[in-house]
Amino acid sequence: LRQHTERALEEGGRDVAEALRASVDAAYSDKQRQLMERLQRDAERQELQKQINELLDFQASFQSERRALLRARREAMNKLQEAQGAIRVLCRCRPLSATERAASEPSAVQMLAHNTIGLTQGFAERTAVNAFGPNGAKEAPQVPPEFTFDCVLGSDATQDELFEEISPAISSVLRGQFVCVMAYGQTGAGKTFTMYGDGSGGLVRRAAAALLAEAEMAAAEYAERGTPVQFELGVSLLEIYNDRLRDLLAQDSLNEAASLGGTSASIYADSVRQNGNLDVRVAADGSVSVPGLVVASFSDAGAMSRLIEAGTARRITHGTGCNAASSRSHLVLTVHSVMRDKKSGIEVRGR
């Protein structure tokens, strides 16, 4: 009995020892696995942090190079503008309308060079432009008339191509210069399309986006020099109709439109004109202003587009043979720019 008891104890002790050894091995393996996973996570974290640092360094380098390129571009644009002159006249040809295409109407003009346009032979023969025979009767000219401008854009030219031609002048607004872009042409020539476009936007929206981008980059450049500045941009919309001035961003322009016999939709009312009737003032230095005109601030191109859509919806319109809702007035859209030195408070204003 004693021998059996001792043998059972020995066998039981071995089982306990084996169980303890297995438990210790499992715990050690689990601990080792956790340690390896933590080391792997630390290595992955370090690698990720390294990649983040590399991306941050690349971003900083990219921003520095971008500012340098924009600075060089700005200097080149200034030289280009000086070479081109203070006043430039561009000619843009509109494409044939759907009605003209349906009637198989020929194009009236043809591009002869980057700055020259001429009437087509067929159009010149049909209209006998500026040519009279010996007996006073009109005769077709032997050579169709040609006209030269600073730049000619064909009917297939895009809004971006047109904006590239005027962008040097636009960028100078932030430096306190006054810039004017005027669209001139007969009814249906495409003035509104050029300035405001369709879904893709026209010169106005592109100019606003360019000014916002330039202002952001300029603020960063001034901050690097230790001279923090703040840019503020605003827009005003002034309509000239029958020798009267209407503030299209003032609420009372809604009621005024109906009294003038036109149509206008109420979409947006940002402010109320303070000084009653508007009047044009010319200062001693020759600058022109309209006291009391609402200037609505904007911080992104979308906000400006909404302001413009609201204001232009209030313009006086009447139907014509070319356009069922033709604008019957002149519209002066002004983008106001203010660069303010945060330390000295000195302001540089452009528009």
Side-chain angles (χ1 to χ4, degrees):
L1 181 59
R2 181 184 299 172
Q3 291 176 354
H4 287 293
T5 302
E6 291 176 353
R7 192 180 301 115
L9 289 173
E10 289 177 2
E11 293 176 356
R14 284 195 298 271
D15 293 340
V16 172
E18 290 294 335
L20 288 174
R21 187 180 299 109
S23 178
V24 170
D25 290 343
Y28 177 78
S29 298
D30 187 58
K31 194 69 175 177
Q32 188 178 31
R33 181 181 55 79
Q34 293 178 4
L35 179 61
M36 292 300 294
E37 289 178 353
R38 188 173 66 181
L39 291 174
Q40 186 177 1
R41 286 196 300 270
D42 291 342
E44 292 176 350
R45 188 180 297 111
Q46 292 176 0
E47 180 63 24
L48 183 60
Q49 187 62 47
K50 179 182 177 182
Q51 294 177 6
I52 292 174
N53 293 336
E54 290 176 352
L55 287 174
L56 290 175
D57 293 340
F58 175 78
Q59 182 184 24
S61 175
F62 174 77
Q63 291 292 349
S64 178
E65 292 179 4
R66 182 169 181 258
R67 284 192 290 270
L69 288 173
L70 287 175
R71 193 159 42 243
R73 180 180 182 273
R74 192 181 306 126
E75 294 173 357
M77 290 292 189
N78 292 338
K79 294 179 181 178
L80 177 61
Q81 187 176 353
E82 292 176 2
Q84 291 175 337
I87 299 176
R88 300 185 68 209
V89 181
L90 282 65
C91 176
R92 186 182 194 184
C93 308
R94 71 163 177 83
L96 295 176
S97 67
T99 303
E100 291 167 336
R101 290 195 302 271
S104 299
E105 291 283 349
S107 177
V109 295
Q110 57 183 342
M111 284 190 61
L112 303 176
H114 73 282
N115 63 342
T116 306
I117 191 172
L119 296 181
T120 59
Q121 185 67 36
F123 185 80
E125 291 176 354
R126 188 177 63 179
T127 57
V129 175
N130 197 27
F132 292 88
N135 58 358
K138 285 187 176 182
E139 296 179 357
Q142 297 298 319
V143 179
E146 298 178 3
F147 308 93
T148 300
F149 301 88
D150 291 298
C151 177
V152 172
L153 295 141
S155 58
D156 58 346
T158 64
Q159 300 281 53
D160 288 329
E161 291 173 342
L162 176 58
F163 181 71
E164 282 298 317
E165 289 291 332
I166 68 168
S167 58
I170 297 298
S171 62
S172 64
V173 171
L174 297 179
R175 299 191 298 276
Q177 297 186 15
F178 289 180
V179 177
C180 176
V181 179
M182 182 179 69
Y184 179 81
Q186 68 185 49
T187 298
K191 301 182 295 295
T192 301
F193 175 81
T194 292
M195 299 302 291
Y196 304 105
D198 45 15
S200 62
L203 296 186
V204 171
R205 185 183 300 181
R206 284 167 170 77
L211 287 175
L212 288 165
E214 288 274 352
E216 182 181 356
M217 297 304 300
E221 290 180 11
Y222 278 101
E224 288 181 353
R225 303 174 194 168
T227 309
V229 297
Q230 178 183 5
F231 284 93
E232 295 180 0
L233 295 176
V235 61
S236 62
L237 285 171
L238 179 68
E239 183 181 44
I240 306 172
Y241 180 73
N242 284 349
D243 295 328
R244 297 181 64 180
L245 305 182
R246 297 182 59 237
D247 186 347
L248 297 182
L249 293 183
Q251 189 169 7
D252 55 357
S253 65
L254 300 175
N255 302 327
E256 193 174 350
S259 67
L260 293 174
T263 58
S264 182
S266 173
I267 296 179
Y268 181 91
D270 178 69
S271 182
V272 178
R273 186 165 57 216
Q274 300 175 353
N275 297 341
N277 295 329
L278 295 176
D279 193 15
V280 177
R281 303 288 176 84
V282 181
D285 60 358
S287 61
V288 179
S289 63
V290 181
L293 185 66
V294 171
V295 178
S297 61
F298 64 91
S299 57
D300 59 80
M304 180 184 179
S305 295
R306 289 189 293 273
L307 287 168
I308 293 173
E309 290 173 2
T312 53
R314 300 172 179 176
R315 293 188 68 181
I316 305 299
T317 61
H318 291 290
T320 67
C322 297
N323 191 344
S326 177
S327 55
R328 311 309 298 160
S329 63
H330 299 288
L331 177 64
V332 181
L333 182 150
T334 306
V335 176
H336 304 258
S337 167
V338 179
M339 182 181 71
R340 182 178 299 105
D341 189 315
K342 292 184 178 180
K343 292 182 178 180
S344 65
I346 297 176
E347 294 183 348
V348 176
R349 294 178 175 269
R351 61 176 184 256

mmCIF file of all heavy atoms in Angstrom, residues 142-188:
data_model
loop_
_atom_site.group_PDB
_atom_site.id
_atom_site.type_symbol
_atom_site.label_atom_id
_atom_site.label_comp_id
_atom_site.label_asym_id
_atom_site.label_seq_id
_atom_site.Cartn_x
_atom_site.Cartn_y
_atom_site.Cartn_z
ATOM 1 N N GLN A 142 -12.453 94.921 -103.486
ATOM 2 C CA GLN A 142 -11.563 93.902 -104.029
ATOM 3 C C GLN A 142 -10.918 93.098 -102.911
ATOM 4 O O GLN A 142 -10.728 91.897 -103.018
ATOM 5 C CB GLN A 142 -10.487 94.565 -104.901
ATOM 6 C CG GLN A 142 -11.036 95.282 -106.125
ATOM 7 C CD GLN A 142 -11.746 94.317 -107.067
ATOM 8 O OE1 GLN A 142 -11.275 93.190 -107.301
ATOM 9 N NE2 GLN A 142 -12.890 94.737 -107.599
ATOM 10 N N VAL A 143 -10.558 93.781 -101.823
ATOM 11 C CA VAL A 143 -9.929 93.136 -100.667
ATOM 12 C C VAL A 143 -10.806 93.394 -99.446
ATOM 13 O O VAL A 143 -11.088 94.554 -99.122
ATOM 14 C CB VAL A 143 -8.505 93.664 -100.426
ATOM 15 C CG1 VAL A 143 -7.894 93.000 -99.199
ATOM 16 C CG2 VAL A 143 -7.636 93.442 -101.654
ATOM 17 N N PRO A 144 -11.273 92.367 -98.747
ATOM 18 C CA PRO A 144 -12.108 92.576 -97.560
ATOM 19 C C PRO A 144 -11.367 93.408 -96.517
ATOM 20 O O PRO A 144 -10.150 93.273 -96.358
ATOM 21 C CB PRO A 144 -12.373 91.154 -97.050
ATOM 22 C CG PRO A 144 -12.174 90.286 -98.242
ATOM 23 C CD PRO A 144 -11.097 90.943 -99.048
ATOM 24 N N PRO A 145 -12.057 94.266 -95.808
ATOM 25 C CA PRO A 145 -11.418 95.110 -94.796
ATOM 26 C C PRO A 145 -10.781 94.267 -93.689
ATOM 27 O O PRO A 145 -11.277 93.192 -93.345
ATOM 28 C CB PRO A 145 -12.574 95.952 -94.250
ATOM 29 C CG PRO A 145 -13.625 95.898 -95.293
ATOM 30 C CD PRO A 145 -13.493 94.566 -95.949
ATOM 31 N N GLU A 146 -9.671 94.789 -93.140
ATOM 32 C CA GLU A 146 -8.979 94.145 -92.030
ATOM 33 C C GLU A 146 -8.886 95.128 -90.874
ATOM 34 O O GLU A 146 -8.818 96.346 -91.085
ATOM 35 C CB GLU A 146 -7.570 93.704 -92.453
ATOM 36 C CG GLU A 146 -7.564 92.672 -93.571
ATOM 37 C CD GLU A 146 -6.145 92.289 -93.988
ATOM 38 O OE1 GLU A 146 -5.189 92.802 -93.347
ATOM 39 O OE2 GLU A 146 -5.994 91.505 -94.935
ATOM 40 N N PHE A 147 -8.864 94.569 -89.648
ATOM 41 C CA PHE A 147 -8.815 95.395 -88.453
ATOM 42 C C PHE A 147 -7.772 94.809 -87.500
ATOM 43 O O PHE A 147 -7.696 93.592 -87.327
ATOM 44 C CB PHE A 147 -10.187 95.450 -87.769
ATOM 45 C CG PHE A 147 -11.297 95.839 -88.701
ATOM 46 C CD1 PHE A 147 -12.038 94.865 -89.369
ATOM 47 C CD2 PHE A 147 -11.589 97.165 -88.932
ATOM 48 C CE1 PHE A 147 -13.058 95.207 -90.235
ATOM 49 C CE2 PHE A 147 -12.613 97.525 -89.798
ATOM 50 C CZ PHE A 147 -13.350 96.551 -90.450
ATOM 51 N N THR A 148 -6.985 95.674 -86.888
ATOM 52 C CA THR A 148 -5.899 95.244 -86.010
ATOM 53 C C THR A 148 -6.180 95.681 -84.577
ATOM 54 O O THR A 148 -6.585 96.832 -84.337
ATOM 55 C CB THR A 148 -4.555 95.832 -86.485
ATOM 56 O OG1 THR A 148 -4.300 95.386 -87.814
ATOM 57 C CG2 THR A 148 -3.417 95.363 -85.583
ATOM 58 N N PHE A 149 -5.951 94.764 -83.641
ATOM 59 C CA PHE A 149 -6.127 95.027 -82.211
ATOM 60 C C PHE A 149 -4.861 94.567 -81.483
ATOM 61 O O PHE A 149 -3.923 94.057 -82.098
ATOM 62 C CB PHE A 149 -7.343 94.275 -81.669
ATOM 63 C CG PHE A 149 -8.639 94.644 -82.347
ATOM 64 C CD1 PHE A 149 -9.059 93.981 -83.502
ATOM 65 C CD2 PHE A 149 -9.441 95.646 -81.835
ATOM 66 C CE1 PHE A 149 -10.239 94.319 -84.128
ATOM 67 C CE2 PHE A 149 -10.635 95.990 -82.463
ATOM 68 C CZ PHE A 149 -11.043 95.321 -83.612
ATOM 69 N N ASP A 150 -4.847 94.758 -80.184
ATOM 70 C CA ASP A 150 -3.728 94.223 -79.396
ATOM 71 C C ASP A 150 -3.758 92.701 -79.374
ATOM 72 O O ASP A 150 -2.727 92.051 -79.274
ATOM 73 C CB ASP A 150 -3.768 94.774 -77.962
ATOM 74 C CG ASP A 150 -3.453 96.257 -77.909
ATOM 75 O OD1 ASP A 150 -2.335 96.627 -78.288
ATOM 76 O OD2 ASP A 150 -4.339 97.032 -77.511
ATOM 77 N N CYS A 151 -4.953 92.141 -79.432
ATOM 78 C CA CYS A 151 -5.105 90.682 -79.453
ATOM 79 C C CYS A 151 -6.472 90.343 -80.025
ATOM 80 O O CYS A 151 -7.444 91.074 -79.792
ATOM 81 C CB CYS A 151 -4.958 90.104 -78.043
ATOM 82 S SG CYS A 151 -5.207 88.325 -77.936
ATOM 83 N N VAL A 152 -6.530 89.271 -80.790
ATOM 84 C CA VAL A 152 -7.791 88.794 -81.352
ATOM 85 C C VAL A 152 -8.004 87.352 -80.897
ATOM 86 O O VAL A 152 -7.092 86.527 -80.995
ATOM 87 C CB VAL A 152 -7.792 88.865 -82.889
ATOM 88 C CG1 VAL A 152 -9.039 88.192 -83.451
ATOM 89 C CG2 VAL A 152 -7.728 90.310 -83.360
ATOM 90 N N LEU A 153 -9.182 87.079 -80.388
ATOM 91 C CA LEU A 153 -9.548 85.744 -79.943
ATOM 92 C C LEU A 153 -10.674 85.232 -80.838
ATOM 93 O O LEU A 153 -11.702 85.898 -80.981
ATOM 94 C CB LEU A 153 -9.989 85.748 -78.483
ATOM 95 C CG LEU A 153 -8.878 86.125 -77.492
ATOM 96 C CD1 LEU A 153 -9.415 86.989 -76.385
ATOM 97 C CD2 LEU A 153 -8.234 84.894 -76.919
ATOM 98 N N GLY A 154 -10.475 84.072 -81.443
ATOM 99 C CA GLY A 154 -11.455 83.517 -82.355
ATOM 100 C C GLY A 154 -12.687 82.995 -81.646
ATOM 101 O O GLY A 154 -12.777 82.991 -80.414
ATOM 102 N N SER A 155 -13.637 82.528 -82.429
ATOM 103 C CA SER A 155 -14.906 82.057 -81.866
ATOM 104 C C SER A 155 -14.740 80.792 -81.033
ATOM 105 O O SER A 155 -15.628 80.442 -80.251
ATOM 106 C CB SER A 155 -15.907 81.804 -82.994
ATOM 107 O OG SER A 155 -15.388 80.845 -83.917
ATOM 108 N N ASP A 156 -13.620 80.084 -81.191
ATOM 109 C CA ASP A 156 -13.389 78.876 -80.418
ATOM 110 C C ASP A 156 -12.536 79.140 -79.176
ATOM 111 O O ASP A 156 -12.164 78.203 -78.458
ATOM 112 C CB ASP A 156 -12.711 77.809 -81.280
ATOM 113 C CG ASP A 156 -11.391 78.296 -81.864
ATOM 114 O OD1 ASP A 156 -11.142 79.525 -81.830
ATOM 115 O OD2 ASP A 156 -10.618 77.460 -82.365
ATOM 116 N N ALA A 157 -12.209 80.390 -78.896
ATOM 117 C CA ALA A 157 -11.389 80.718 -77.725
ATOM 118 C C ALA A 157 -12.172 80.452 -76.442
ATOM 119 O O ALA A 157 -13.380 80.701 -76.368
ATOM 120 C CB ALA A 157 -10.950 82.178 -77.778
ATOM 121 N N THR A 158 -11.493 79.955 -75.427
ATOM 122 C CA THR A 158 -12.129 79.645 -74.159
ATOM 123 C C THR A 158 -12.040 80.833 -73.206
ATOM 124 O O THR A 158 -11.288 81.785 -73.433
ATOM 125 C CB THR A 158 -11.463 78.422 -73.505
ATOM 126 O OG1 THR A 158 -10.091 78.751 -73.181
ATOM 127 C CG2 THR A 158 -11.476 77.226 -74.455
ATOM 128 N N GLN A 159 -12.815 80.742 -72.119
ATOM 129 C CA GLN A 159 -12.763 81.785 -71.096
ATOM 130 C C GLN A 159 -11.385 81.846 -70.451
ATOM 131 O O GLN A 159 -10.893 82.924 -70.111
ATOM 132 C CB GLN A 159 -13.837 81.512 -70.029
ATOM 133 C CG GLN A 159 -15.258 81.471 -70.535
ATOM 134 C CD GLN A 159 -15.850 82.850 -70.755
ATOM 135 O OE1 GLN A 159 -15.277 83.679 -71.452
ATOM 136 N NE2 GLN A 159 -17.008 83.095 -70.160
ATOM 137 N N ASP A 160 -10.752 80.687 -70.279
ATOM 138 C CA ASP A 160 -9.414 80.662 -69.674
ATOM 139 C C ASP A 160 -8.402 81.372 -70.562
ATOM 140 O O ASP A 160 -7.519 82.088 -70.060
ATOM 141 C CB ASP A 160 -8.960 79.216 -69.422
ATOM 142 C CG ASP A 160 -9.713 78.569 -68.274
ATOM 143 O OD1 ASP A 160 -10.110 79.300 -67.347
ATOM 144 O OD2 ASP A 160 -9.921 77.342 -68.312
ATOM 145 N N GLU A 161 -8.495 81.176 -71.860
ATOM 146 C CA GLU A 161 -7.569 81.835 -72.779
ATOM 147 C C GLU A 161 -7.742 83.352 -72.730
ATOM 148 O O GLU A 161 -6.755 84.107 -72.770
ATOM 149 C CB GLU A 161 -7.786 81.318 -74.207
ATOM 150 C CG GLU A 161 -7.351 79.879 -74.406
ATOM 151 C CD GLU A 161 -7.734 79.338 -75.767
ATOM 152 O OE1 GLU A 161 -8.614 79.934 -76.429
ATOM 153 O OE2 GLU A 161 -7.157 78.325 -76.182
ATOM 154 N N LEU A 162 -8.974 83.793 -72.640
ATOM 155 C CA LEU A 162 -9.221 85.223 -72.537
ATOM 156 C C LEU A 162 -8.696 85.766 -71.214
ATOM 157 O O LEU A 162 -8.084 86.848 -71.170
ATOM 158 C CB LEU A 162 -10.719 85.503 -72.673
ATOM 159 C CG LEU A 162 -11.163 86.960 -72.482
ATOM 160 C CD1 LEU A 162 -10.448 87.871 -73.467
ATOM 161 C CD2 LEU A 162 -12.667 87.083 -72.638
ATOM 162 N N PHE A 163 -8.915 85.025 -70.132
ATOM 163 C CA PHE A 163 -8.458 85.508 -68.828
ATOM 164 C C PHE A 163 -6.937 85.605 -68.775
ATOM 165 O O PHE A 163 -6.393 86.514 -68.126
ATOM 166 C CB PHE A 163 -8.963 84.584 -67.713
ATOM 167 C CG PHE A 163 -8.545 85.040 -66.337
ATOM 168 C CD1 PHE A 163 -9.112 86.165 -65.773
ATOM 169 C CD2 PHE A 163 -7.576 84.353 -65.629
ATOM 170 C CE1 PHE A 163 -8.726 86.605 -64.514
ATOM 171 C CE2 PHE A 163 -7.178 84.776 -64.380
ATOM 172 C CZ PHE A 163 -7.766 85.905 -63.819
ATOM 173 N N GLU A 164 -6.230 84.689 -69.438
ATOM 174 C CA GLU A 164 -4.774 84.757 -69.466
ATOM 175 C C GLU A 164 -4.300 86.073 -70.065
ATOM 176 O O GLU A 164 -3.233 86.579 -69.699
ATOM 177 C CB GLU A 164 -4.207 83.580 -70.262
ATOM 178 C CG GLU A 164 -4.176 82.269 -69.501
ATOM 179 C CD GLU A 164 -3.283 82.330 -68.270
ATOM 180 O OE1 GLU A 164 -2.173 82.896 -68.380
ATOM 181 O OE2 GLU A 164 -3.703 81.838 -67.207
ATOM 182 N N GLU A 165 -5.073 86.622 -70.981
ATOM 183 C CA GLU A 165 -4.669 87.870 -71.622
ATOM 184 C C GLU A 165 -4.781 89.067 -70.675
ATOM 185 O O GLU A 165 -4.036 90.042 -70.816
ATOM 186 C CB GLU A 165 -5.523 88.121 -72.870
ATOM 187 C CG GLU A 165 -5.218 87.185 -74.023
ATOM 188 C CD GLU A 165 -3.847 87.438 -74.624
ATOM 189 O OE1 GLU A 165 -3.358 88.592 -74.546
ATOM 190 O OE2 GLU A 165 -3.256 86.490 -75.165
ATOM 191 N N ILE A 166 -5.709 89.017 -69.726
ATOM 192 C CA ILE A 166 -5.915 90.164 -68.841
ATOM 193 C C ILE A 166 -5.413 89.919 -67.421
ATOM 194 O O ILE A 166 -5.406 90.846 -66.613
ATOM 195 C CB ILE A 166 -7.406 90.547 -68.783
ATOM 196 C CG1 ILE A 166 -8.218 89.456 -68.073
ATOM 197 C CG2 ILE A 166 -7.961 90.799 -70.168
ATOM 198 C CD1 ILE A 166 -9.617 89.896 -67.725
ATOM 199 N N SER A 167 -4.985 88.705 -67.113
ATOM 200 C CA SER A 167 -4.570 88.379 -65.745
ATOM 201 C C SER A 167 -3.418 89.231 -65.227
ATOM 202 O O SER A 167 -3.361 89.511 -64.018
ATOM 203 C CB SER A 167 -4.220 86.884 -65.640
ATOM 204 O OG SER A 167 -3.191 86.547 -66.542
ATOM 205 N N PRO A 168 -2.447 89.677 -66.062
ATOM 206 C CA PRO A 168 -1.394 90.541 -65.516
ATOM 207 C C PRO A 168 -1.947 91.807 -64.865
ATOM 208 O O PRO A 168 -1.444 92.248 -63.833
ATOM 209 C CB PRO A 168 -0.528 90.868 -66.745
ATOM 210 C CG PRO A 168 -0.743 89.725 -67.663
ATOM 211 C CD PRO A 168 -2.174 89.326 -67.472
ATOM 212 N N ALA A 169 -2.979 92.375 -65.466
ATOM 213 C CA ALA A 169 -3.570 93.584 -64.887
ATOM 214 C C ALA A 169 -4.344 93.264 -63.617
ATOM 215 O O ALA A 169 -4.312 94.029 -62.647
ATOM 216 C CB ALA A 169 -4.489 94.254 -65.912
ATOM 217 N N ILE A 170 -5.028 92.130 -63.594
ATOM 218 C CA ILE A 170 -5.839 91.758 -62.428
ATOM 219 C C ILE A 170 -4.967 91.618 -61.177
ATOM 220 O O ILE A 170 -5.324 92.093 -60.092
ATOM 221 C CB ILE A 170 -6.591 90.442 -62.691
ATOM 222 C CG1 ILE A 170 -7.579 90.608 -63.858
ATOM 223 C CG2 ILE A 170 -7.323 89.975 -61.441
ATOM 224 C CD1 ILE A 170 -8.665 91.625 -63.616
ATOM 225 N N SER A 171 -3.805 90.984 -61.308
ATOM 226 C CA SER A 171 -2.957 90.735 -60.139
ATOM 227 C C SER A 171 -2.419 92.009 -59.522
ATOM 228 O O SER A 171 -2.015 92.015 -58.355
ATOM 229 C CB SER A 171 -1.794 89.805 -60.530
ATOM 230 O OG SER A 171 -0.984 90.420 -61.523
ATOM 231 N N SER A 172 -2.405 93.116 -60.277
ATOM 232 C CA SER A 172 -1.861 94.367 -59.755
ATOM 233 C C SER A 172 -2.832 95.082 -58.818
ATOM 234 O O SER A 172 -2.449 96.054 -58.162
ATOM 235 C CB SER A 172 -1.477 95.297 -60.911
ATOM 236 O OG SER A 172 -2.613 95.664 -61.662
ATOM 237 N N VAL A 173 -4.065 94.607 -58.735
ATOM 238 C CA VAL A 173 -5.053 95.246 -57.864
ATOM 239 C C VAL A 173 -4.599 95.187 -56.408
ATOM 240 O O VAL A 173 -4.764 96.152 -55.648
ATOM 241 C CB VAL A 173 -6.431 94.582 -58.038
ATOM 242 C CG1 VAL A 173 -7.421 95.086 -56.990
ATOM 243 C CG2 VAL A 173 -6.971 94.847 -59.431
ATOM 244 N N LEU A 174 -4.022 94.054 -55.992
ATOM 245 C CA LEU A 174 -3.599 93.898 -54.602
ATOM 246 C C LEU A 174 -2.474 94.848 -54.229
ATOM 247 O O LEU A 174 -2.227 95.088 -53.037
ATOM 248 C CB LEU A 174 -3.158 92.449 -54.342
ATOM 249 C CG LEU A 174 -4.244 91.378 -54.498
ATOM 250 C CD1 LEU A 174 -3.663 89.999 -54.246
ATOM 251 C CD2 LEU A 174 -5.411 91.634 -53.557
ATOM 252 N N ARG A 175 -1.783 95.386 -55.217
ATOM 253 C CA ARG A 175 -0.692 96.328 -54.938
ATOM 254 C C ARG A 175 -1.187 97.767 -54.945
ATOM 255 O O ARG A 175 -0.384 98.708 -54.950
ATOM 256 C CB ARG A 175 0.420 96.154 -55.975
ATOM 257 C CG ARG A 175 1.033 94.769 -55.968
ATOM 258 C CD ARG A 175 2.293 94.723 -56.811
ATOM 259 N NE ARG A 175 2.034 95.024 -58.209
ATOM 260 C CZ ARG A 175 1.626 94.137 -59.102
ATOM 261 N NH1 ARG A 175 1.404 92.877 -58.732
ATOM 262 N NH2 ARG A 175 1.421 94.477 -60.358
ATOM 263 N N GLY A 176 -2.501 97.939 -54.948
ATOM 264 C CA GLY A 176 -3.069 99.277 -54.838
ATOM 265 C C GLY A 176 -3.378 99.957 -56.146
ATOM 266 O O GLY A 176 -3.689 101.155 -56.159
ATOM 267 N N GLN A 177 -3.320 99.240 -57.261
ATOM 268 C CA GLN A 177 -3.612 99.849 -58.542
ATOM 269 C C GLN A 177 -5.099 99.739 -58.875
ATOM 270 O O GLN A 177 -5.793 98.857 -58.381
ATOM 271 C CB GLN A 177 -2.776 99.199 -59.646
ATOM 272 C CG GLN A 177 -1.283 99.394 -59.466
ATOM 273 C CD GLN A 177 -0.488 98.871 -60.638
ATOM 274 O OE1 GLN A 177 -1.042 98.608 -61.708
ATOM 275 N NE2 GLN A 177 0.814 98.702 -60.454
ATOM 276 N N PHE A 178 -5.552 100.651 -59.723
ATOM 277 C CA PHE A 178 -6.930 100.625 -60.192
ATOM 278 C C PHE A 178 -6.933 100.045 -61.603
ATOM 279 O O PHE A 178 -6.213 100.518 -62.479
ATOM 280 C CB PHE A 178 -7.540 102.024 -60.211
ATOM 281 C CG PHE A 178 -7.804 102.592 -58.845
ATOM 282 C CD1 PHE A 178 -8.346 103.843 -58.690
ATOM 283 C CD2 PHE A 178 -7.510 101.853 -57.713
ATOM 284 C CE1 PHE A 178 -8.606 104.361 -57.431
ATOM 285 C CE2 PHE A 178 -7.757 102.355 -56.441
ATOM 286 C CZ PHE A 178 -8.297 103.611 -56.305
ATOM 287 N N VAL A 179 -7.746 99.021 -61.814
ATOM 288 C CA VAL A 179 -7.795 98.309 -63.093
ATOM 289 C C VAL A 179 -9.236 98.306 -63.590
ATOM 290 O O VAL A 179 -10.167 98.102 -62.807
ATOM 291 C CB VAL A 179 -7.279 96.863 -62.941
ATOM 292 C CG1 VAL A 179 -7.415 96.108 -64.259
ATOM 293 C CG2 VAL A 179 -5.830 96.858 -62.469
ATOM 294 N N CYS A 180 -9.413 98.523 -64.877
ATOM 295 C CA CYS A 180 -10.746 98.507 -65.471
ATOM 296 C C CYS A 180 -10.769 97.535 -66.642
ATOM 297 O O CYS A 180 -9.916 97.599 -67.525
ATOM 298 C CB CYS A 180 -11.146 99.899 -65.940
ATOM 299 S SG CYS A 180 -12.748 99.954 -66.788
ATOM 300 N N VAL A 181 -11.735 96.628 -66.637
ATOM 301 C CA VAL A 181 -11.983 95.719 -67.750
ATOM 302 C C VAL A 181 -13.391 96.004 -68.251
ATOM 303 O O VAL A 181 -14.364 95.808 -67.516
ATOM 304 C CB VAL A 181 -11.848 94.246 -67.330
ATOM 305 C CG1 VAL A 181 -12.139 93.333 -68.522
ATOM 306 C CG2 VAL A 181 -10.457 93.964 -66.779
ATOM 307 N N MET A 182 -13.514 96.465 -69.485
ATOM 308 C CA MET A 182 -14.814 96.855 -70.022
ATOM 309 C C MET A 182 -15.164 95.982 -71.223
ATOM 310 O O MET A 182 -14.344 95.804 -72.130
ATOM 311 C CB MET A 182 -14.797 98.322 -70.450
ATOM 312 C CG MET A 182 -16.151 98.804 -70.987
ATOM 313 S SD MET A 182 -16.159 100.542 -71.482
ATOM 314 C CE MET A 182 -15.103 100.491 -72.927
ATOM 315 N N ALA A 183 -16.356 95.429 -71.207
ATOM 316 C CA ALA A 183 -16.861 94.650 -72.340
ATOM 317 C C ALA A 183 -17.775 95.559 -73.153
ATOM 318 O O ALA A 183 -18.747 96.111 -72.632
ATOM 319 C CB ALA A 183 -17.618 93.419 -71.856
ATOM 320 N N TYR A 184 -17.462 95.720 -74.435
ATOM 321 C CA TYR A 184 -18.201 96.641 -75.291
ATOM 322 C C TYR A 184 -18.637 95.913 -76.559
ATOM 323 O O TYR A 184 -17.843 95.195 -77.173
ATOM 324 C CB TYR A 184 -17.310 97.838 -75.657
ATOM 325 C CG TYR A 184 -17.963 98.848 -76.571
ATOM 326 C CD1 TYR A 184 -18.828 99.803 -76.064
ATOM 327 C CD2 TYR A 184 -17.702 98.837 -77.934
ATOM 328 C CE1 TYR A 184 -19.434 100.728 -76.897
ATOM 329 C CE2 TYR A 184 -18.297 99.766 -78.780
ATOM 330 C CZ TYR A 184 -19.161 100.710 -78.253
ATOM 331 O OH TYR A 184 -19.755 101.625 -79.080
ATOM 332 N N GLY A 185 -19.888 96.083 -76.935
ATOM 333 C CA GLY A 185 -20.376 95.439 -78.145
ATOM 334 C C GLY A 185 -21.875 95.620 -78.278
ATOM 335 O O GLY A 185 -22.554 96.062 -77.350
ATOM 336 N N GLN A 186 -22.405 95.261 -79.446
ATOM 337 C CA GLN A 186 -23.828 95.421 -79.675
ATOM 338 C C GLN A 186 -24.621 94.357 -78.929
ATOM 339 O O GLN A 186 -24.054 93.425 -78.340
ATOM 340 C CB GLN A 186 -24.118 95.332 -81.171
ATOM 341 C CG GLN A 186 -23.881 93.935 -81.745
ATOM 342 C CD GLN A 186 -24.055 93.887 -83.247
ATOM 343 O OE1 GLN A 186 -23.505 94.699 -83.953
ATOM 344 N NE2 GLN A 186 -24.836 92.932 -83.716
ATOM 345 N N THR A 187 -25.937 94.497 -78.928
ATOM 346 C CA THR A 187 -26.812 93.536 -78.272
ATOM 347 C C THR A 187 -26.609 92.136 -78.862
ATOM 348 O O THR A 187 -26.601 91.970 -80.085
ATOM 349 C CB THR A 187 -28.282 93.958 -78.446
ATOM 350 O OG1 THR A 187 -28.473 95.224 -77.823
ATOM 351 C CG2 THR A 187 -29.213 92.941 -77.802
ATOM 352 N N GLY A 188 -26.426 91.162 -77.987
ATOM 353 C CA GLY A 188 -26.239 89.788 -78.433
ATOM 354 C C GLY A 188 -24.818 89.439 -78.817
ATOM 355 O O GLY A 188 -24.565 88.339 -79.306
#
